[in-house]
Amino acid sequence: MTDLADLDVTLVDGYVDEPAHFGVPPYISTYPRYTAGAIVDAGVPDENVTYHTIDELRDDSHKWRDVEDADLFVYIGGMTVPGKYVGGTPAEPDEVRKMAWTADGTSLMGGPVKFGVGDENAGATETERDDLDFDFVAKGDVEAAAYDLLRSGMEGFDNRMRDNEEIDRWAAKGAFVVEQHPNHPEYLICEMETSRGCPYRCSFCTEPLYGNPSFRRPESVVSEVEGLYERGARHFRLGRQADILAYGGDGEKPNPDALRDLYGGIREVAPDLETLHLDNMNPITVVEWPELAREGIRVIAEHNTPGDTAAFGLESADPLVQEENNLNVTAEECFEAVEIVNEEAGWRPGEDPADAPTHGKSAANRLPKLLPGINLLHGLKGERRETFEHNKEFLNRVYDEGLMLRRVNIRQVMAFDGTEMSDVGADIANDHKKLFKQYKTEVRETIDNPMLQRLAPPGTILPDVHLEYHQDGKTFGRQLGTYPLLVGIPGERELGRTVDVAVVDHGYRSVTGVVYPLDVNSATMDELTAIPGLGKQRAGNIVVNRPYESPADLDADVGVELTEFTTAERPEGAEGAD
């Protein structure tokens, strides 16, 4: 047996996406960090552990050598919810199998992939378990499997689940992995686990397969944040839980004191953090314990960063679908929960929280602190034509009542072994695909666009937008956080940079913006034209008559108030310039 001190280990992150766990860049999931920590805890020096993403292997063929030469190769991946991704492309089954063939050493596969593999990472698909030619597949936790495999002399392991005491050790020992991520440190958000499991048993969801909720202590999560912060991480997302409001309680009832310890502790050890967001919040918790929930929501809004989203798993507003799939919240209850989150956290920085929810001309020019997001899932048991109408009625009611949603997530079910939906598969979703596409387009036009205008009206400032790609003469980017807005900026700007943006227009799920503040003395015609009220003729007048001393000087030329979007820098070499 090779001495563990001399063992070389390579981890490849094929990315994960679960109902309560993000791992596609710019997110890094808990799995590679905890697995690296378990490997080090077993006796392998951290300098012997190499971490790569699947995109790194695609971009640099030389990094396949690390897969080939490793004494132990660990692949981590698996998508249990469908999605579209900008920051990275999840590994497909053929790529994963190629890694197993390439590895000369022992190969181990784990993560949500244990629940099953489909032909593609998409909705309306069925999955089956497949070892993809690996020596070992972790049917329990991959981090526990890696630890036990190493401690057994590479002989094998029991398919067990790790416990929170092990995570206390492994989270600390595995924090070094973030420094090997290609996005580190500026464009990387660390997914943080507060609990796993769920007390409810919705037909489609894999989260209950982890059992009932098991909560980490606040000091454990805070200590993990501190270790990551010391290694340069500045962006954090409390996404790994079924319900943030239930944190530190009995799994269902809110515990505001535990949230206060958690959020307050994070702010203390990471004073200059740039993002602190969350993901899942169960609407049934909000309506069953409204006063405790309100207190917990206020704690979150006090400590988080703007633009945060509490994802609500309504899944369907159709009573029949709710009954047949054991969904735990009705449309009426979900509406009440949307109302409560708006009232407690729908304020914007610089405003009085008592004024929430705020929108319109008098609202501050930042995104609200915390708003609900609605998840709608199609292809569930009992779905019918009326289901689509129920969902639209719910969304229209939210809008008509003057409330805000951060986003509406509409997707089709993926059927996994171990869930009730495995008996139905993708049959209903496939039968309704045409109807689904029509309905999705209608929601985007009638709900998403006007809701986005309410959420982020022209002049809203989005700080620190990371520029990601070019398309059709524009540069697209996003802030770091939970479900960040996609922002299109006129012109092709240098990628990889971070800029502040002012919103000028709206699509269905994205906005157009200009760099803030836009210098009227150097702005392009496309940038000037994008500003509301200008148009090509007025923009042309600005170009002809500049330079200007200040944006206020433009009023005579264009008759449009531009101070909320622009500045006027003295051109280099101009008379009077320094």
Side-chain angles (χ1 to χ4, degrees), residues 461-467 475 477-479 487 489 493-494 496-502 514-516:
I461 308 304
L462 306 176
D464 300 324
V465 173
H466 293 258
L467 305 182
T475 303
R478 297 174 297 173
Q479 296 174 297
V487 183
I489 303 170
R493 292 182 168 267
E494 180 184 350
R497 294 178 55 228
T498 300
V499 297
D500 296 345
V501 171
V514 294
V515 172
Y516 176 81

Side-chain angles (χ1 to χ4, degrees), residues 247-431:
Y247 174 72
D250 61 4
E252 298 182 48
K253 185 178 179 180
N255 185 344
D257 288 337
L259 287 172
R260 199 170 280 110
D261 291 341
L262 176 66
Y263 274 86
I266 290 173
R267 280 294 192 171
E268 184 174 341
V269 300
D272 295 320
L273 65 76
E274 297 174 35
T275 304
L276 181 56
H277 279 188
L278 62 90
D279 192 357
N280 296 292
M281 182 183 290
N282 199 327
I284 196 63
T285 306
V286 180
V287 295
E288 290 284 351
W289 295 277
E291 293 311 312
L292 285 174
R294 285 179 182 273
E295 184 180 352
I297 293 165
R298 287 195 294 270
V299 169
I300 294 169
E302 177 187 351
H303 293 90
N304 71 350
T305 53
D308 201 357
T309 307
F312 278 0
L314 171 60
E315 315 305 351
S316 179
D318 184 344
L320 177 62
V321 176
Q322 292 166 2
E323 180 179 357
E324 293 202 18
N325 294 275
N326 201 31
L327 306 183
N328 61 51
V329 66
T330 67
E332 184 61 37
E333 289 169 331
C334 190
F335 178 84
E336 183 180 343
V338 168
E339 201 169 31
I340 288 173
V341 174
N342 268 260
E343 290 170 355
E344 298 298 339
W347 53 276
R348 302 164 192 260
E351 296 178 337
D352 186 341
D355 293 335
T358 62
H359 49 79
K361 291 184 178 181
S362 61
N365 63 348
R366 294 288 298 278
L367 292 177
K369 291 300 294 292
L370 175 70
L371 291 175
I374 297 295
N375 294 340
L376 296 172
L377 186 61
H378 288 270
L380 296 173
K381 292 183 289 184
E383 182 174 283
R384 50 194 174 148
R385 181 172 292 273
E386 291 92 330
T387 302
F388 298 88
E389 297 304 317
H390 281 292
N391 289 350
K392 288 187 290 186
E393 288 172 8
F394 171 83
L395 295 173
N396 280 317
R397 181 186 177 193
V398 170
Y399 183 80
D400 291 344
E401 291 293 328
L403 302 173
M404 290 182 288
L405 299 175
R406 170 56 196 84
R407 65 100 179 94
V408 180
N409 191 9
I410 302 172
R411 52 197 172 91
Q412 289 184 296
V413 71
M414 297 176 76
F416 288 90
D417 286 343
T419 68
E420 291 181 24
M421 277 301 298
S422 63
D423 298 332
V424 178
D427 291 348
I428 296 174
N430 287 322
D431 288 345

Side-chain angles (χ1 to χ4, degrees), residues 10-12 14 31 35 72-78 91-93 95-100 106-117 128-143 145-146 149 157 159:
T10 295
L11 302 176
V12 171
Y31 290 110
T35 302
L72 173 62
F73 164 59
V74 184
Y75 169 76
I76 295 167
E92 294 288 354
E95 292 179 304
V96 181
R97 190 174 280 111
K98 179 183 175 183
M99 285 184 260
T106 301
S107 60
L108 166 66
M109 177 175 70
V113 69
K114 69 186 179 185
F115 293 125
V117 179
E128 59 182 19
R129 290 191 170 95
D130 190 336
D131 66 11
L132 296 175
D133 297 334
F134 276 70
D135 297 326
F136 294 100
V137 178
K139 301 294 198 308
D141 282 321
V142 63
E143 52 267 46
L149 181 62
F157 52 84
N159 285 304

